[in-house]
Amino acid sequence: MHQTLGAIRLAYRSRIAHLVKSGMIDNAVQVFDEMRHSSYRVFSVDYNRFIGVLVKDSRFELAEAIYRDMTPMGFSLIPFTYSRFISGLCKVKNFDLIDALLRDMETLGYVPDIWAFNIYLDLLCRERNIGFAVQTFCCMVRRGREPDVVSYTILINGLFRVGKVTDAVEIWNEMIRRGIRPDNRACAALVVGLCHARKVDLAYEMVADEIKSATVKFSTVVYNALISGFCRAGRIEKAEALKSFMSKSGCEPDVVTYNVLLNFYYDNNMLKKAEGVMNEMVRSGIQPDAYSYNQLLKRHCRVSHPDKCYSFMAKEMEPRGLCDVVSYSTLIETFCRASNTRKAYKIFEEMREKGIVMNVVTYTSLIKAFLREGNSSVAKKLLDQMTELGLSPDRIFYTTILEHLCKSGNLDKAYGVFNDMIEHGITPDVITYNALICGLCRSCRVTEAMRLFEDMQSTECCPDELTFKFIIGGLVRENKLSAAYKIWDQMMDKGFTLDRDVSDTLIKASCSVSADA
């Protein structure tokens, strides 16, 4: 009898395995259901195998239903099946079921394997649920799941993504204390995060041993982040030294490395250096890309006549197929700055004819130029085109229009643009606030400027030195010296300084107030 039951059970299993192998999952589900409801006993191994099949085929709802059925019968999944189930659920972000499975595992004294643990941790970080990710990480460690270098890398990336720089550094230090050796990915996460936070010295210090000892073979990502960080900090000698070192250590510079250096050289008028980098790129078999040539074009636009810049694009860039929206937008902005809006608009039309899709930057330059000329009808036409293309105005666009309106004395319209910006969910930055505050103060509307000054601080937009100078200047012009003195106090608390002539006026006013008292 036992032999007969065993043989029938094996027959069911064989049929299910054959159907799964043939990709006939629906038929396999029917056979498994028939097996469950037959008089032949189904074992825990059968549930584990079949839930594994369903998870692999992304049949998560059915897998959950079968899991719910098996639990009251005293069956449970093994750690491996639990781990595969959790990994699969991460793809569909079913957090509720993942939490339920983790609770069940804890009851059974199980922990997910490192693969599932890392996948879940990565999901939490990508969803910016970093607090819960850290909590889960610590909980799993307490329960005996030893993290690996991948776990730490995921958490470091996640913390940098939400701006928790100090916490990310502490996680790195904990990894080192645990004796887990960083690999290239971990080092890249740390260096890129710190350089993005403008902490290039700390980034270099923390991986200096790995760089010098060559215990980790770094990719160009790590070197490029450091080189970019040092360039941003104005320390080109350090950037150049790193570029030389990376070649010696077997990591050849790529087009990004050269572009970072080109960007610095052009911005700082180091033309011979830039030319040398371009020549070195070609000698190394690396062809300058659109970014390289756009940097060169921007340099030409700063020092050459706009027509020569257009000629450079047409002769040097177009034959190489390197003209893009950035190239055309750069030229349009150059002609607009030279008050040649007719030529700028002609280039805009050429761009459209060649099928190059415009962006907000393209439209911003043209609209600003036509508004400056008083040609609001063309500006309105361009704005309508922009809307038809589905291009949403960004902060720079709104600020550009707002600055123009303020300078031309159209403060009520400027206020309308400011409110429209907020209604569209775009948060004004300090430059936007400064444009409007400056306009109000110049028009002797300092009371409104003060309200705006208070509003910006309530939205956690910190005033900068210019903000304080505009407000104080406006208050002095309206002879509100007592209020100006209070704002000056706040300004000094922030570490900002005031122009000497304005500060002298305030000091004299303060002395006269004291004398009257």
Side-chain angles (χ1 to χ4, degrees):
M1 179 68 180
H2 287 300
Q3 276 187 331
T4 306
L5 289 173
I8 294 171
R9 192 180 301 113
L10 284 171
Y12 270 118
R13 288 175 179 171
S14 178
R15 284 172 63 196
I16 291 168
H18 174 72
L19 290 167
V20 168
K21 194 173 181 179
S22 303
M24 302 168 69
I25 305 299
D26 289 330
N27 298 84
V29 170
Q30 289 176 358
V31 174
F32 183 77
D33 201 47
E34 181 187 318
M35 181 183 178
R36 280 198 303 153
H37 293 97
S38 70
S39 56
Y40 307 107
R41 188 180 173 194
V42 179
F43 289 97
S44 180
V45 66
D46 298 304
Y47 280 105
N48 273 274
R49 283 176 181 167
F50 201 66
I51 286 177
V53 166
L54 294 173
V55 167
K56 189 175 180 180
D57 202 52
S58 300
R59 306 283 188 97
F60 300 116
E61 288 183 11
L62 185 54
E64 181 184 0
I66 292 174
Y67 177 73
R68 301 288 184 204
D69 285 348
M70 67 179 273
T71 308
M73 297 163 60
F75 294 124
S76 68
L77 299 180
I78 58 174
F80 177 82
T81 313
Y82 269 119
S83 296
R84 294 293 73 73
F85 203 170
I86 289 167
S87 300
L89 290 168
C90 286
K91 294 177 188 173
V92 293
K93 302 179 184 180
N94 189 337
F95 291 104
D96 291 339
L97 185 51
I98 292 170
D99 288 344
L101 293 175
L102 287 171
R103 284 195 301 272
D104 290 350
M105 288 186 82
E106 187 171 9
T107 303
L108 294 164
Y110 297 157
V111 289
D113 63 23
I114 193 66
W115 181 262
F117 172 54
N118 287 341
I119 290 173
Y120 183 44
L121 197 63
D122 184 55
L123 174 63
L124 291 172
C125 289
R126 281 189 286 109
E127 292 293 301
R128 293 183 175 268
N129 195 351
I130 195 66
F132 190 59
V134 172
Q135 184 184 325
T136 301
F137 181 88
C138 296
C139 175
M140 290 296 168
V141 171
R142 281 196 304 272
R143 286 171 53 193
R145 168 51 56 217
E146 281 297 315
D148 61 6
V149 67
V150 177
S151 319
Y152 280 104
T153 303
I154 290 165
L155 206 50
I156 289 166
N157 260 325
L159 287 163
F160 275 125
R161 200 176 289 132
V162 296
K164 292 184 176 289
V165 177
T166 306
D167 292 342
V169 170
E170 180 49 41
I171 289 291
W172 171 275
N173 290 333
E174 182 192 317
M175 178 180 76
I176 301 301
R177 284 194 297 270
R178 280 178 168 268
I180 297 173
R181 291 182 64 179
D183 60 8
N184 174 62
R185 286 180 182 271
C187 292
L190 179 76
V191 169
V192 171
L194 285 173
C195 288
H196 183 73
R198 297 185 179 271
K199 294 183 181 290
V200 65
D201 283 315
L202 181 59
Y204 182 76
E205 180 188 323
M206 294 187 76
V207 296
D209 288 343
E210 281 74 19
I211 290 176
K212 291 169 185 173
S213 64
T215 51
V216 178
K217 187 170 175 59
F218 285 149
S219 66
T220 52
V221 173
V222 177
Y223 284 110
N224 288 344
L226 287 168
I227 291 167
S228 178
F230 282 119
C231 284
R232 197 183 297 122
R235 294 161 63 189
I236 188 61
E237 297 84 3
K238 190 76 176 173
E240 288 171 338
L242 264 173
K243 185 244 173 188
S244 298
F245 181 83
M246 70 187 285
S247 298
K248 293 171 187 171
S249 65
C251 180
E252 291 301 323
D254 61 8
V255 69
V256 176
T257 319
Y258 287 111
N259 282 340
V260 167
L261 291 169
L262 277 173
N263 187 40
F264 180 88
Y265 293 141
Y266 284 131
D267 280 350
N268 290 275
N269 206 26
M270 299 168 73
L271 301 186
K272 285 187 177 179
K273 286 270 193 180
E275 189 180 335
V277 165
M278 289 286 269
N279 291 335
E280 187 183 331
M281 282 177 83
V282 175
R283 283 198 307 272
S284 303
I286 298 171
Q287 287 302 315
D289 61 5
Y291 183 91
S292 317
Y293 273 98
N294 280 331
Q295 290 304 114
L296 185 52
L297 178 63
K298 285 175 186 177
R299 165 64 197 161
H300 279 301
C301 288
R302 280 200 294 270
V303 298
S304 304
H305 190 278
D307 288 328
K308 286 186 177 178
C309 302
Y310 180 82
S311 178
F312 171 79
M313 186 187 78
K315 291 177 181 176
E316 299 294 334
M317 296 176 68
E318 195 165 10
R320 292 178 170 89
L322 297 174
C323 294
D324 59 11
V325 63
V326 176
S327 321
Y328 277 97
S329 296
T330 300
L331 280 175
I332 287 168
E333 172 64 19
T334 303
F335 278 103
C336 286
R337 275 204 314 269
S339 299
N340 193 345
T341 47
R342 185 187 294 273
K343 179 69 174 178
Y345 193 77
K346 191 176 177 183
I347 293 170
F348 172 78
E349 289 183 323
E350 179 188 322
M351 187 180 179
R352 188 162 47 191
E353 285 166 11
K354 290 182 176 176
I356 297 171
V357 180
M358 298 81 168
N359 60 17
V360 175
V361 176
T362 322
Y363 280 101
T364 301
S365 299
L366 279 171
I367 290 170
K368 181 183 176 183
F370 281 113
L371 284 173
R372 191 169 55 238
E373 288 185 357
N375 197 337
S376 55
S377 60
V378 178
K380 176 70 169 63
K381 177 186 166 187
L382 287 165
L383 184 58
D384 290 342
Q385 279 182 27
M386 189 174 157
T387 308
E388 285 168 15
L389 286 169
L391 292 172
S392 301
D394 59 8
R395 186 185 289 115
I396 295 171
F397 178 87
Y398 276 113
T399 303
T400 300
I401 304 303
L402 197 142
E403 276 180 335
H404 166 77
L405 291 170
C406 287
K407 284 175 183 175
S408 58
N410 293 318
L411 285 170
D412 293 330
K413 283 185 179 178
Y415 250 124
V417 170
F418 182 79
N419 292 329
D420 185 57
M421 178 181 184
I422 294 168
E423 283 171 16
H424 281 84
I426 298 169
T427 307
D429 62 6
V430 67
I431 300 170
T432 318
Y433 276 107
N434 282 350
L436 196 47
I437 286 170
C438 178
L440 290 167
C441 288
R442 283 179 177 168
S443 301
C444 297
R445 293 166 65 172
V446 75
T447 305
E448 292 171 74
M450 284 293 290
R451 276 201 297 270
L452 207 57
F453 178 69
E454 289 161 8
D455 285 348
M456 75 182 289
Q457 292 177 89
S458 69
T459 59
E460 297 183 358
C461 178
C462 298
D464 63 7
E465 192 168 351
L466 279 176
T467 321
F468 284 106
K469 286 180 178 178
F470 293 147
I471 291 286
I472 292 169
L475 289 166
V476 168
R477 269 193 295 275
E478 294 191 27
N479 208 32
K480 296 181 178 180
L481 300 176
S482 177
Y485 197 79
K486 287 177 184 174
I487 299 295
W488 188 25
D489 250 1
Q490 291 179 35
M491 184 180 183
M492 287 191 291
D493 286 343
K494 298 274 186 184
F496 299 131
T497 56
L498 196 57
D499 297 335
R500 182 166 187 142
D501 54 342
V502 183
S503 61
D504 286 346
T505 303
L506 287 175
I507 290 166
K508 284 174 187 174
S510 173
C511 291
S512 65
V513 169
S514 301
D516 291 343

